[in-house]
Amino acid sequence: MQTLMKPQLCVRSEQATDDYLQYLRQMNISHCFVMFSNEHSNYEDVNRILEKLRRQGFTVDDAGNGFLYKHLSIHLGLEDRDAWIDKYNDLNRILGQAGVPVGYIGNSRVSHTGYFASEATHGALGRTVDMEEILRRPPVTEKTVEEAELWAAFHYLLERALPVAKEYGMKLALHPSDPPYPMYEGYASLIHSGDCYRKALKMADEIAPGVLGMKFCCGCWLEGGKHFGDILADLREFVRARRVLTVHFRNVSCPLPHFTETLAEDGYFNMMRIMRVLVEEGYDQAIYPDHIFQTDEKTGGDMAQFAYAIGYMKGLMAAAYDEQNR
Ligand SMILES: [Mn+2]
């Protein structure tokens, strides 16, 4: 079936083996993103890995290094941030030169209470957030970083990151804070609502129009519930504005303050409704199942989890395209 949107899975740089690429290929997956380890975030390794993927028929939609683009010194504006921004920009130069169209930009923090088995997960270990527990945690930094300081640090980053991305023909995708709650662990969250995204995009466009985009994380939108926004209306708005560079197709048991990640089919939101909006709006970028349960080899491992998740997602996608074509 010809589809506009591109189902993708992750290839970690140390995972780009012939066997792993065959695993992707046999699920009819030809798009991926690459998470480069620190060891592989250099010119030679990036180009070697990208060439291998392309030689085997894969399109790399986006790529980055989680250690660099999520670095707390950058996002909290700590003293040593310039050195980290330089390293981050250097990798974007390498990726852009190699033809990767989308890179990443912070401040996508991730916290959770733990991985727990429950009815909502059918006994698997699912990522669980108990906001009351997280709010009791001590600050991770010496001094609290309030919202205004966090946005100032983001502006500082944008001024340095956007011109480099623009020069190298890249867009940068911004993920929400997860959980999307305004302040915890001693520092503010950048993106905890649709309005935070609107503010970030406006700020970025004043520096370099159209370079900043988003990882539209359905999971975070659903975690935040009404506080985050109206997921279907927001998705429509940002897809129309060509700001969605990838979609994270993920469901949760209920909105904050206490949720567990679930299979796409049995969280509180009907994911088919999201798929319909994407098809109706002619969304033509990447879509990714995002998180999986924590498993071990005895219960099939990560590869089984991702195979199930992508198969279910592609099934909904096929159904949504079929509805439209009737
Ligand atoms: Mn996500």
Side-chain angles (χ1 to χ4, degrees):
M1 187 181 62
Q2 275 300 110
T3 64
L4 280 179
M5 67 184 105
K6 295 145 184 162
Q8 61 167 197
L9 282 172
C10 177
V11 178
R12 297 195 310 276
S13 59
E14 64 276 16
Q15 197 182 31
T17 62
D18 288 342
D19 286 343
Y20 192 75
L21 300 186
Q22 178 57 30
Y23 156 74
L24 298 182
R25 200 179 293 111
Q26 68 203 16
M27 298 183 293
N28 194 21
I29 293 294
S30 58
H31 283 256
C32 64
F33 66 88
V34 185
M35 278 297 181
F36 287 96
S37 64
N38 289 335
E39 189 199 336
H40 292 137
S41 292
N42 59 74
Y43 181 87
E44 287 73 25
D45 287 332
V46 166
N47 281 285
R48 177 178 54 79
I49 290 163
L50 291 176
E51 270 166 34
K52 176 171 184 171
L53 286 163
R54 288 167 175 159
R55 210 169 42 240
Q56 296 208 21
F58 291 93
T59 301
V60 178
D61 305 308
D62 46 294
N65 170 333
F67 177 78
L68 290 178
Y69 84 87
K70 294 183 180 184
H71 205 284
L72 266 187
S73 291
I74 297 177
H75 303 303
L76 304 187
L78 306 185
E79 242 167 60
D80 60 344
R81 68 175 153 183
D82 287 337
W84 291 108
I85 292 174
D86 285 348
K87 285 185 204 292
Y88 161 80
N89 273 333
D90 282 345
L91 178 59
N92 283 348
R93 288 187 181 95
I94 296 170
L95 293 170
Q97 202 168 38
V100 175
V102 174
Y104 311 135
I105 191 163
N107 152 353
S108 47
R109 66 193 309 188
V110 182
S111 292
H112 46 256
T113 300
Y115 283 78
F116 300 106
S118 69
E119 239 174 86
T121 62
H122 313 286
L125 297 173
R127 174 174 168 262
T128 301
V129 167
D130 175 355
M131 206 61 226
E132 284 177 27
E133 180 272 318
I134 289 175
L135 287 173
R136 283 195 299 269
R137 293 179 183 176
V140 298
T141 50
E142 275 173 46
K143 87 178 185 43
T144 301
V145 178
E146 303 289 346
E147 191 188 349
E149 292 166 83
L150 191 90
W151 279 92
F154 184 61
H155 188 258
Y156 184 94
L157 170 64
L158 289 174
E159 281 184 316
R160 284 150 186 83
L162 296 178
V164 171
K166 190 182 169 191
E167 185 187 340
Y168 285 82
M170 285 183 108
K171 293 190 175 187
L172 298 176
L174 174 64
H175 191 282
S177 304
D178 189 355
Y181 195 86
M183 166 76 98
Y184 49 96
E185 295 169 352
Y187 63 102
S189 295
L190 191 78
I191 304 291
H192 52 84
S193 73
D195 280 341
C196 299
Y197 263 126
R198 291 177 190 99
K199 178 176 170 178
L201 291 167
K202 187 162 173 280
M203 186 180 268
D205 281 356
E206 282 164 11
I207 298 165
V211 177
L212 185 68
M214 57 205 284
K215 298 185 188 179
F216 192 101
C217 185
C218 300
C220 291
W221 240 273
L222 294 173
E223 292 168 16
K226 282 199 187 84
H227 171 84
F228 207 118
D230 178 336
I231 186 169
L232 298 179
D234 292 342
L235 181 60
R236 220 179 266 285
E237 172 191 333
F238 292 121
V239 169
R240 279 185 191 175
R242 305 283 307 168
R243 293 298 191 160
V244 181
L245 304 174
T246 182
V247 169
H248 285 180
F249 196 75
R250 173 162 66 88
N251 211 343
V252 294
S253 59
C254 57
L256 285 167
H258 193 154
F259 68 83
T260 295
E261 293 182 350
T262 64
L263 295 174
E265 70 206 44
D266 58 6
Y268 82 92
F269 202 77
N270 178 354
M271 299 299 280
M272 185 63 185
R273 298 174 67 198
I274 291 169
M275 205 52 98
R276 279 197 192 101
V277 169
L278 292 170
V279 169
E280 281 166 19
E281 295 300 328
Y283 175 68
D284 60 1
Q285 302 295 306
I287 181 164
Y288 170 62
D290 212 4
H291 303 168
I292 51 168
F293 293 142
Q294 205 174 63
T295 58
D296 56 32
E297 290 310 313
K298 289 186 298 234
T299 50
D302 290 3
M303 285 164 81
Q305 288 283 316
F306 273 117
Y308 181 84
I310 196 115
Y312 184 83
M313 191 181 87
K314 287 175 74 176
L316 290 189
M317 192 178 79
Y321 279 115
D322 183 58
E323 275 181 6
Q324 193 195 41
N325 293 332
R326 258 161 218 273

